[in-house]
Amino acid sequence: MTWYTQEQFSVRLEWGIEAVEQLAEMADCIIIVDVMSFSTCISLALDNGAQVYPYPWKDESAIAYGNERGAHIASTERRLTGNGYSLSPSSLKNIEQGARLVLPSPNGSAISFRAKETAAAVFSSCFRNMAATARACRHFKRILVVPCGERWPNGALRPAVEDLAAAGGIISYLTDRTWSPEAQVAVSAYHHHSLLGISGLGECTSALELTERGFAEDVRLCLSLNVSELACRLSQEAYIAQCD
């Protein structure tokens, strides 16, 4: 056993793409948590009957990737107005049933894209579908929960409290498992914020950034609790809905 693997516990937690790089071999299931906004976008799109292809690069290669799959390509910039889709959850509230969407993102998409190369089942989750995700993953023996965090301007990982709390919310439903200390801290963060009201996370750094840019509605959507009954599972290249 390597000191950082948490393998003596059935539910582990570690941050960012390095968690997948270092711990995926010891996981049967990986849950990727990127609340603001990748995982929330996935949940909203799948609730409407769409499929979402995660893609890590915000460049012209995304267009070719989407065209090869007959998919719409989300704008690489979050947008307030205009047609089409973006990383703004509001832009996906009315996505049509059966649509295919390529969603470029440097955090949730990049980690999903890497995780699909592993042998583990891969899920995306957020506050919207915590309970549904836990139900879908309850049969897996070794679960790795990966809060994605955000990025500083220099590209370094910035741990995000909303991702930690949502990760803890998912873990809190896995009551028949052993939790690593890292997982236990996430559960404590979730319970703390749920007692105060999850809407209080509207004052966290990520939410303030979105609000200042005019995306207060996205923050509201991202902080909706268990409003979806669908888990979001990566099937080959695309996230699809999985019912319990």
Side-chain angles (χ1 to χ4, degrees):
M1 180 180 69
T2 306
W3 56 268
Y4 57 78
T5 59
Q6 305 171 40
E7 62 186 286
Q8 65 270 48
F9 304 98
S10 57
V11 180
R12 305 95 184 252
L13 180 143
E14 198 50 83
W15 287 87
I17 198 164
E18 287 296 329
V20 176
E21 297 283 356
Q22 301 296 330
L23 303 180
E25 289 185 1
M26 291 158 285
D28 304 306
C29 170
I30 299 171
I31 304 173
I32 296 168
V33 184
D34 186 358
V35 170
M36 295 185 186
S37 300
F38 172 80
S39 295
T40 301
C41 286
I42 299 292
S43 178
L44 279 161
L46 270 56
D47 276 351
N48 283 316
Q51 297 182 13
V52 180
Y53 293 79
Y55 193 71
W57 298 292
K58 289 185 170 185
D59 57 25
E60 292 185 357
S61 67
I63 298 174
Y65 185 81
N67 288 339
E68 291 170 359
R69 290 153 181 80
H72 301 283
I73 298 90
S75 170
T76 56
E77 299 297 328
R78 189 187 296 258
R79 298 188 299 199
L80 283 168
T81 59
N83 297 323
Y85 309 112
S86 75
L87 201 57
S88 164
S90 297
S91 75
L92 298 171
K93 288 192 299 183
N94 298 311
I95 191 171
E96 63 268 24
Q97 185 174 2
R100 297 180 177 185
L101 179 68
V102 172
L103 187 62
S105 155
N107 295 315
S109 271
I111 294 171
S112 299
F113 206 76
R114 176 63 184 88
K116 75 178 183 179
E117 300 173 0
T118 72
V122 179
F123 292 80
S124 169
S125 190
C126 56
F127 284 119
R128 289 177 51 85
N129 63 351
M130 297 182 300
T133 303
R135 288 195 299 270
C137 296
R138 68 185 183 277
H139 301 300
F140 294 101
K141 183 178 179 180
R142 302 172 299 172
I143 299 173
L144 171 63
V145 184
V146 182
C148 294
E150 298 294 340
R151 295 288 173 181
W152 290 108
N154 67 359
L157 172 69
R158 175 176 67 78
V161 66
E162 70 276 9
D163 291 349
L164 182 67
I170 298 160
I171 295 166
S172 72
Y173 289 99
L174 298 168
T175 54
D176 61 338
R177 304 302 181 91
T178 58
W179 302 340
S180 72
E182 291 81 357
Q184 293 176 43
V185 167
V187 173
S188 296
Y190 171 69
H191 286 322
H192 172 78
H193 287 288
S194 62
L195 288 172
L196 296 176
I198 290 295
S199 61
L201 285 171
E203 296 296 319
C204 75
T205 301
S206 302
L208 291 177
E209 177 194 3
L210 292 181
T211 300
E212 288 181 6
R213 293 170 57 193
F215 295 101
E217 173 63 9
D218 283 354
V219 173
R220 186 191 69 79
L221 290 170
C222 290
L223 297 181
S224 300
L225 282 180
N226 283 328
V227 295
S228 174
E229 293 296 321
L230 298 179
C232 304
R233 182 169 183 172
L234 193 60
S235 176
Q236 296 181 335
E237 295 182 315
Y239 277 106
I240 63 172
Q242 177 173 313
C243 298
D244 184 29

